[in-house]
Amino acid sequence: TKKTLLEYIVMKIEKKDPKLLDIKAGLPLLAEAAKVRLEAISTELKSLSHGLSSIESTVSSSNTESQHGDHWEKLAPFLKEASEKVAALAEKKREADSAFNELCIYLGENPTVS
């Protein structure tokens, strides 16, 4: 009997590694991830960055305007860690954007139209 290319590939995968055909089990978070829009992540990242900048400005002005100069010393470790985490999230967002654009182009779609 004749087989399509897809049927042939599935047959070969079934023989060599049938676990690959259970895509649903391998991607349990896909349904939840599909609900999240990249624009929403961008908005959240901007909000986090703005919030950190606001905290830094407030603490810095508080230190210069008052006698309580220890605010910065107490918050500096938090701000450093939070800034690093936000930067890491921003990098992952850039990677997700790049992967999305590459996939759109691969599939012949325009990545700028959602």
Side-chain angles (χ1 to χ4, degrees), residues 24-35:
K24 186 175 181 181
L27 302 171
L29 300 177
L30 186 59
E32 290 299 316
K35 296 176 186 175

Side-chain angles (χ1 to χ4, degrees), residues 23-112:
I23 293 173
K24 186 175 181 181
L27 302 171
L29 300 177
L30 186 59
E32 290 299 316
K35 296 176 186 175
V36 178
R37 299 190 51 87
L38 291 176
E39 293 85 8
I41 294 171
S42 291
T43 302
E44 289 295 322
L45 278 172
K46 287 177 186 174
S47 177
L48 286 171
S49 295
H50 179 54
L52 285 173
S53 295
S54 178
I55 291 171
E56 189 173 311
S57 297
T58 301
V59 171
S60 292
S61 66
S62 157
N63 284 342
T64 58
E65 293 175 5
S66 72
Q67 301 300 325
H68 306 289
D70 60 340
H71 288 103
W72 180 254
E73 292 172 9
K74 291 178 182 177
L75 282 175
F78 163 77
L79 287 172
K80 182 179 185 292
E81 182 181 352
S83 295
E84 289 170 356
K85 287 182 179 183
V86 169
L89 288 172
E91 179 58 30
K92 287 183 180 186
K93 168 67 170 69
R94 281 188 289 278
E95 291 172 8
D97 284 340
S98 178
F100 174 78
N101 290 339
E102 288 176 18
L103 180 62
C104 284
I105 291 168
Y106 177 79
L107 296 174
E109 298 291 334
N110 183 351
T112 59

